[in-house]
Amino acid sequence: MAVQLAAPHTWPAAILPALVATAAALARMPSVSVMMTCALLVICVLMQSAVNTFNDYYDYVKGSDSLDDNVDPADAVLVYNNVNPRSALVLAVGFLAAAFVIGAYVVWVAGWIPLAIGGAGAVVVVLYSAGKTPLSYLPVGELASGFVMGGLIPLACYQALTGSFDLRALLWAVPTIIGVGLIMLTNNACDIEKDTESGRRTLPVLLGRARTRRLYHGAVYAWVSAIIVLVIAFFPGGVVVLPFMLMAAYPLFKALLSNPLAPISRIGAMAQVCGVNVALGAFYAAAILAGGAVLVP
């Protein structure tokens, strides 16, 4: 049950931003530390697991999830299984605590900046699900999740790996910010009716499904465009990877853009947007790494 609450199928949302940051560090440095890279990846996974567990807990205790929803059992563990909700809350806090324990090594090697960035991310992680009006209930959930997971993770990882606090890392993270934000937008778009009944004021609830789909399609095209522009501008040696990215991603995009984002198609839509995140994130990192670099212990 602990593994199900951690929701490994969502971990790419944390791993891929770290992968992009590692690729950018390798593009700017002759080498990076394997131990530091592994520590950062584990921290990112623990933070994502905490988000998933907190969200499952608070949705359960507030009655937002039910057996009548079109929800994958892996995304509503407390609804489908006989698990003590308080144990799930303790587990979520434990994930955060473990992340900060491993983070002590990162701080020891790289200084206080990754700690500050991680602390800010942890606050958003809690506010995202907890409180009377959590961020996930407001029309800022996509921005919050995208910026923290897709933006702050690359910024902190890049600083820890290179020793340089470079705001360009946030610019290079624009594709991952969009990709992670689209995961939340997909979820909220499919839950418009349920969220309206429960009093949630998410962005799709405010826009309606038709306008949400137009925004969604525009964000998908902006996602691909951002990768192309950033690779050409900062990592021109990786341009050779872009045609392969487009060929590989085309069938995934076609399926995602044709999805009605309705409750009945929720499970398929979530699988599709996660698949596109994996494909684009991997190709983007490959494009950044096209110049080549060597990992050392």
Side-chain angles (χ1 to χ4, degrees):
M1 291 298 99
V3 173
Q4 288 189 36
L5 283 165
H9 63 285
T10 68
W11 290 353
I15 293 173
L16 291 168
L19 179 64
V20 167
T22 302
L26 283 167
R28 299 295 187 219
M29 302 281 289
S31 62
V32 298
S33 167
V34 171
M35 184 174 293
M36 177 63 76
T37 301
C38 291
L40 292 169
L41 285 172
V42 172
I43 290 171
C44 292
V45 167
L46 288 169
M47 293 284 281
Q48 180 67 45
S49 299
V51 170
N52 296 333
T53 308
F54 273 124
N55 203 46
D56 224 26
Y57 169 78
Y58 283 106
D59 279 352
Y60 179 79
V61 297
K62 292 179 180 181
S64 298
D65 286 340
S66 71
L67 292 173
D68 297 328
D69 299 328
N70 292 287
V71 179
D72 190 318
D75 288 328
V77 177
L78 298 182
V79 172
Y80 289 91
N81 299 275
N82 185 25
V83 178
N84 185 339
R86 183 170 180 81
S87 296
L89 180 61
V90 172
L91 178 65
V93 174
F95 283 139
L96 277 182
F100 274 91
V101 169
I102 300 174
Y105 163 74
V106 176
V107 173
W108 177 56
V109 174
W112 62 269
I113 293 179
L115 176 64
I117 297 173
V123 170
V124 177
V125 164
V126 175
L127 293 178
Y128 183 80
S129 300
K132 185 177 180 180
T133 308
L135 295 178
S136 62
Y137 280 53
L138 301 173
V140 295
E142 291 82 2
L143 178 62
S145 61
F147 182 73
V148 171
M149 304 305 295
L152 293 186
I153 283 178
L155 182 63
C157 290
Y158 185 84
Q159 195 282 332
L161 291 170
T162 65
S164 172
F165 181 72
D166 192 338
L167 286 177
R168 289 182 302 173
L170 269 181
L171 178 61
W172 300 332
V174 167
T176 55
I177 292 173
I178 296 174
V180 174
L182 274 170
I183 294 176
M184 178 52 56
L185 185 59
T186 303
N187 179 76
N188 288 342
C190 294
D191 287 347
I192 288 176
E193 291 79 11
K194 184 186 78 168
D195 289 343
T196 300
E197 292 177 4
S198 63
R200 282 186 169 185
R201 302 290 291 171
T202 64
L203 185 60
V205 167
L206 296 181
L207 294 178
R209 180 161 284 111
R211 283 187 290 180
T212 295
R213 289 196 69 201
R214 288 197 291 270
L215 172 64
Y216 193 89
H217 289 187
V220 169
Y221 290 121
W223 188 7
V224 179
S225 300
I227 292 176
I228 295 172
V229 170
L230 289 170
V231 170
I232 292 173
F234 293 99
F235 311 102
V239 171
V240 66
V241 177
L242 297 181
F244 298 97
M245 177 189 77
L246 295 174
M247 287 188 292
Y250 175 75
L252 301 175
F253 277 125
K254 186 176 180 181
L256 182 62
L257 293 173
S258 63
N259 194 295
L261 301 179
I264 194 66
S265 61
R266 182 187 187 281
I267 294 176
M270 292 302 294
Q272 288 166 351
V273 73
C274 287
V276 175
N277 264 275
V278 171
L280 288 191
F283 274 106
Y284 183 35
I288 294 173
L289 277 172
V294 179
L295 287 170
V296 298

